[in-house]
Amino acid sequence: ENPMGGLCSSESGDPLEAEMNRKIQDRIGADRKKEEEVHKMLLLGAGESGKSTLFKQMQLIYGRDAFPEEERAEYTPVIYANIL
């Protein structure tokens, strides 16, 4: 008998339980890795100080789908008109 609390022991004789434990540990590791990729930013300021504008600019510049193809197609003529 284990005096240190054998209920939490990772050494189990049941292979099904060991496989479940491995899957859970893998999922925890994957979730941790995914969480490390998330960057959080707290924007503080008075009303009308540009917090939403800054947030939108950050999304446009650094977001995964920064400029979807449809949106690029919509703005292309406007950009060309302003250049020429």
Side-chain angles (χ1 to χ4, degrees), residues 7-84:
L7 292 177
C8 295
S9 175
S10 62
E11 296 179 23
S12 174
D14 186 5
L16 183 60
E17 188 175 321
E19 177 65 18
M20 278 184 57
N21 184 43
R22 186 191 63 76
K23 286 182 180 181
I24 291 170
Q25 293 301 322
D26 288 348
R27 178 66 187 260
I28 290 171
D31 288 348
R32 262 195 202 120
K33 189 172 185 177
K34 189 174 182 180
E35 183 65 28
E36 287 174 1
E37 295 174 2
V38 173
H39 300 284
K40 297 179 183 180
M41 183 185 332
L42 176 63
L43 299 175
L44 300 174
E48 302 295 321
S49 65
K51 297 180 297 289
S52 294
T53 302
L54 179 62
F55 178 73
K56 289 174 188 174
Q57 288 173 346
M58 296 291 285
Q59 278 187 312
L60 286 173
I61 294 169
Y62 300 108
R64 289 183 190 190
D65 298 322
F67 290 102
E69 187 62 38
E70 301 159 355
E71 194 170 342
R72 280 189 289 208
E74 288 177 23
Y75 284 108
T76 302
V78 175
I79 292 170
Y80 283 144
N82 286 322
I83 292 175
L84 302 174

